[in-house]
Amino acid sequence: MMDTAIDTTARTFIEVAEIWVPEGDRLVLGEGHYGALDTFAEASRRESFAKGEGLPGKAWAEGRPVVLKAFDGSYFKRTEAAKEAGLTAAVAVPVFSGKTLKAVLVVFCADDEVRTGAIEVWKDDDGVLVLDDGYYGAAKHFEWVSQHTQFPRGQGLPGGVWASKTPILMRDLGSGYRFIRAESAGKAGLTTGIGMPIPVPGGETYVLALLSALGTPIARRFELWDARSARVGKGEPAAVLVDGICAREGKLWVGETEDPRRVTAWQGVIGRVLGTGLPVVEAGTPGLTAGYDTLIALPIHMDGELAHIVAWYC
């Protein structure tokens, strides 16, 4: 059922999340969550990146999401610290408002025989979305299927995001007729998917998809917030919760006859994203929803304005 799509006790697919923000001509660490990986955290605090340097700098220079599935022999700068921490792959997601880089979100994963999930980047290639790159952990067959799948506009999770230009949360991936790769997703244990547009300065189409499994979920709670002025009025910046899922609480959104959940700028963690336009990694603070250790919130800017916030809780 929908409200059992995310386990509340399993180890999550993502091990580390960090945010790099521009300071002069370099990216510096804004905030991050490293769990018990103190050595890697310390290596990260000492680091900074010029445009084109390291993984965050590459996402900045190329103006696109970047997947790095192996650190050895690559442009990655913290290879030894990552190896010591057991980290094996990373994805960098730049946050642009128009042509201005606001920040780069980087998430790290650790590989093992059971860690299953997917972080995918889809790109428009002559009128269809093709897999630009992705990290799948142990879901090798699903990775192969994804590499050989294309999505026209409006089809499947990536195609639906492309057509609507909005984030989409999709449930029951293994049995849902809307999910084109349902059979292979079911075999891999993938249950919940969230897709979001990633606007970039060149105007190319990129869609980021996070596919979560019961055993090693991407997160234990997902939220989609709409921050477009047409939805919340022309006054104080605000956002409304339009969709969400949580194993413990079931669905998080409300019906048309109820008042929607709404936050204003600087009200809680989501309000901080509204106020700054920056992504947030919040860990172990009183402002978090009870029962969760970490929140990652990613803003999506459209036409120079904050339009959506995608949040996931671990």
Side-chain angles (χ1 to χ4, degrees):
M1 298 299 291
M2 293 180 188
D3 57 354
T4 60
I6 303 166
D7 192 358
T8 58
T9 58
R11 190 176 183 183
T12 54
F13 189 63
I14 294 173
E15 289 277 326
V16 168
E18 54 187 24
I19 295 169
W20 298 86
V21 294
E23 188 174 283
D25 60 355
R26 301 187 71 83
L27 293 172
V28 300
L29 185 65
E31 55 192 24
H33 173 60
Y34 298 90
L37 304 179
D38 295 335
T39 301
F40 186 71
E42 184 56 34
S44 301
R45 293 187 189 104
R46 294 194 303 264
E47 196 57 84
S48 67
F49 300 95
K51 194 172 186 178
E53 185 181 32
L55 181 57
K58 185 177 179 68
W60 181 14
E62 298 189 1
R64 64 180 182 89
V66 177
V67 179
L68 184 57
K69 292 184 282 190
F71 299 145
D72 284 336
S74 74
Y75 50 83
F76 191 74
K77 292 182 64 178
R78 295 169 283 166
T79 299
E80 291 305 316
K83 187 180 297 185
E84 181 181 336
L87 303 172
T88 56
V91 181
V93 183
V95 177
F96 284 97
S97 179
K99 295 182 179 181
T100 301
L101 180 74
K102 303 284 286 184
V104 178
L105 169 69
V106 182
V107 297
F108 291 84
C109 300
D111 199 5
D112 56 39
E113 295 181 354
V114 299
R115 198 76 62 97
T116 298
I119 304 175
E120 303 178 319
V121 177
W122 296 85
K123 181 182 179 181
D124 176 21
D125 182 12
D126 199 22
V128 294
L129 289 181
V130 298
L131 185 68
D132 187 58
D133 209 344
Y135 177 72
Y136 296 84
K140 301 303 181 186
H141 180 261
F142 185 77
E143 179 177 8
W144 183 90
V145 170
S146 302
Q147 290 168 343
H148 295 82
T149 301
Q150 297 180 346
F151 293 97
R153 188 188 298 267
Q155 187 178 66
L157 178 59
V161 172
W162 185 16
S164 66
K165 297 182 179 180
T166 64
I168 292 175
L169 180 59
M170 191 172 284
R171 301 155 174 81
D172 300 322
L173 299 186
S175 59
Y177 70 93
R178 293 174 56 206
F179 194 72
I180 305 303
R181 297 167 286 166
E183 182 178 356
S184 55
K187 290 179 179 178
L190 300 172
T191 57
T192 306
I194 189 166
M196 62 205 87
I198 304 297
V200 297
E204 297 94 343
T205 296
Y206 286 98
V207 173
L208 177 69
L210 308 178
L211 308 180
S212 192
L214 275 173
T216 52
I218 294 281
R220 299 183 176 98
R221 174 186 176 115
F222 290 106
E223 296 175 352
L224 301 185
W225 294 83
D226 192 330
R228 293 172 292 186
S229 58
R231 293 293 299 273
V232 297
K234 299 294 184 180
E236 184 180 15
V240 294
L241 183 68
V242 293
D243 205 351
I245 188 171
C246 170
R248 188 178 62 228
E249 301 170 53
K251 69 177 184 178
L252 303 175
W253 71 101
V254 297
E256 294 181 359
T257 60
E258 303 172 81
D259 291 333
R261 300 189 189 185
R262 183 177 185 271
V263 297
T264 55
W266 306 107
Q267 180 185 358
V269 180
I270 300 300
R272 179 150 66 92
V273 181
L274 271 174
T276 63
L278 298 173
V280 166
V281 175
E282 191 84 5
T285 63
L288 279 182
T289 300
Y292 300 98
D293 175 65
T294 309
L295 162 66
I296 303 171
L298 182 67
I300 298 170
H301 297 261
M302 296 286 192
D303 301 321
E305 293 186 354
L306 179 56
H308 307 278
I309 301 170
V310 177
W312 58 98
Y313 296 74
C314 304

